[in-house]
Amino acid sequence: MSIENFVENLKGKLAIQNDLFRCLLSEFLGTFILVVLADGALASLAISGSDNHLWAAFGVGFAVAFGIWTALGVSGGHVNPAVSLGLAVTGKFPMKRFLPYCLAQCSGAFVASVVCYSVYYDGVKNAVPIDVDNHTAACGIFTTFPGESVGYTTAFFDQIITTGLLIGLLLALLDKRNMAPDLTLVPLSAGILVSSIILSYGVNTGAPLNPARDFAGRIMCTLANYGPEVWLDDGKHWWLIPTFGPLVGSVVGAWTYMLCIEIHHPNEETEEASRKEIDVLLPIPPPPGTTALADALRLPKSSKA
């Protein structure tokens, strides 16, 4: 049997026909790619002792881009519960799929954190000791903690703003009636967006942005004997902030874009009628490849000042 026949037979036997299961597997793999690359970039920094914020920001940004590229054509490439929720509350994604997507994303993030920890085990063990006093440095590879003197109110507000920016601008990237880029450019644009947010607002909380990565990373660190302190900061349940803050921010960001931009787009019939009216009022026929509106605003060549 040839390799081609073997692959075709395997595809026929293993191909998933259920659309939801296909999407969940896609989200699992996309989130895995995102987290295994992002954690790998942060692990490299921690082990080398570098504090290069550009390295961290662009490493995570590229990880986001490749994670979305992996899943975009099958499940939409959410790879983040905050994205799924933002789309769901604006009617762009079925709410009944939100929890299954979250489970798939958290599962992918957990497996990715285990893989990254295994690959960098010796480096983390030797360069970043496993102890309670140093849990921020060690577990900061896989999850987030607040910066010095950052209060919980500030941290929660930080998550609403940063994740709100993420979701609102993602909706702008997907809005075909608002200069949306080609779909193939959305992953790269989203990655650049995440890098920009990290560079702008990464100091307070480490810019969690993604509850799946943060929550799954804490589970992995707990199983790796970092202790229950991984869930706490100064004795308080810090994990609640990066887990639920981005979800609140996603709703705020999604509806901010909807209320300020998307719901004000004219319906297609009205827009088409306006274009025809402009065409009638034009002094000259529009040249090929130009819009009626651009021609309407252009003075005839024969006009003089």
Side-chain angles (χ1 to χ4, degrees):
M1 179 184 294
S2 66
I3 294 295
E4 291 81 2
N5 291 334
F6 173 77
V7 172
E8 286 300 320
N9 290 335
L10 190 66
K11 180 179 178 181
K13 293 179 180 179
L14 299 181
I16 298 174
Q17 303 300 324
N18 184 284
D19 181 64
L20 177 59
F21 287 169
R22 289 192 302 109
C23 289
L24 295 182
L25 189 59
S26 172
E27 285 297 308
F28 173 89
L29 183 59
T31 310
F32 172 87
I33 296 297
L34 186 162
V35 175
V36 81
L37 292 177
D39 286 0
L42 298 176
S44 298
L45 285 173
I47 293 170
S48 65
S50 172
D51 59 352
N52 190 322
H53 295 292
L54 280 174
W55 185 346
F58 285 106
V60 174
F62 284 128
V64 169
F66 285 113
I68 295 175
W69 255 315
T70 301
L72 182 61
V74 178
S75 60
H78 299 184
V79 298
N80 183 342
V83 174
S84 298
L85 182 61
L87 294 174
V89 297
T90 52
K92 303 177 186 299
F93 176 69
M95 182 63 79
K96 64 182 180 181
R97 289 196 173 194
F98 171 64
L99 286 180
Y101 264 52
C102 286
L103 291 175
Q105 291 156 357
C106 288
S107 298
F110 174 76
V111 174
S113 63
V114 171
V115 169
C116 182
Y117 180 72
S118 300
V119 171
Y120 278 115
Y121 176 77
D122 292 333
V124 172
K125 182 179 178 181
N126 296 324
V128 190
I130 300 177
D131 56 49
V132 174
D133 294 333
N134 201 31
H135 74 274
T136 300
C139 296
I141 297 171
F142 309 100
T143 185
T144 59
F145 292 92
E148 295 182 9
S149 303
V150 176
Y152 275 38
T153 302
T154 298
F156 188 73
F157 183 66
D158 173 281
Q159 283 307 286
I160 292 176
I161 296 300
T162 55
T163 314
L165 286 170
L166 173 65
I167 304 305
L169 291 172
L170 280 178
L171 290 182
L173 289 174
L174 296 171
D175 189 353
K176 294 181 180 180
R177 305 184 73 186
N178 188 21
M179 298 296 291
D182 185 89
L183 190 61
T184 57
L185 296 177
V186 168
L188 181 59
S189 301
I192 295 172
L193 169 59
V194 169
S195 295
S196 177
I197 292 173
I198 293 173
L199 289 172
S200 300
Y201 294 101
V203 175
N204 280 347
T205 62
L209 298 174
N210 190 333
R213 175 190 175 269
D214 199 89
F215 187 76
R218 292 183 200 279
I219 295 176
M220 191 282 297
C221 289
T222 302
L223 296 177
N225 296 321
Y226 280 80
E229 290 79 10
V230 141
W231 303 86
L232 310 174
D233 180 72
D234 196 23
K236 299 178 181 179
H237 287 274
W238 159 254
W239 67 275
L240 295 170
I241 302 295
T243 300
F244 295 103
L247 298 179
V248 176
S250 72
V251 176
V252 172
W255 272 103
T256 297
Y257 183 81
M258 286 286 290
L259 293 174
C260 292
I261 301 292
E262 189 165 333
I263 65 173
H264 305 293
H265 290 322
N267 61 54
E268 294 183 2
E269 293 182 0
T270 302
E271 194 171 27
E272 183 63 25
S274 298
R275 289 173 180 169
K276 290 181 179 179
E277 183 177 352
I278 291 175
D279 289 339
V280 170
L281 296 175
L282 284 175
I284 56 175
T290 61
T291 64
L293 180 59
D295 294 334
L297 296 175
R298 187 187 63 187
L299 290 174
K301 292 181 180 180
S302 60
S303 64
K304 296 182 181 181

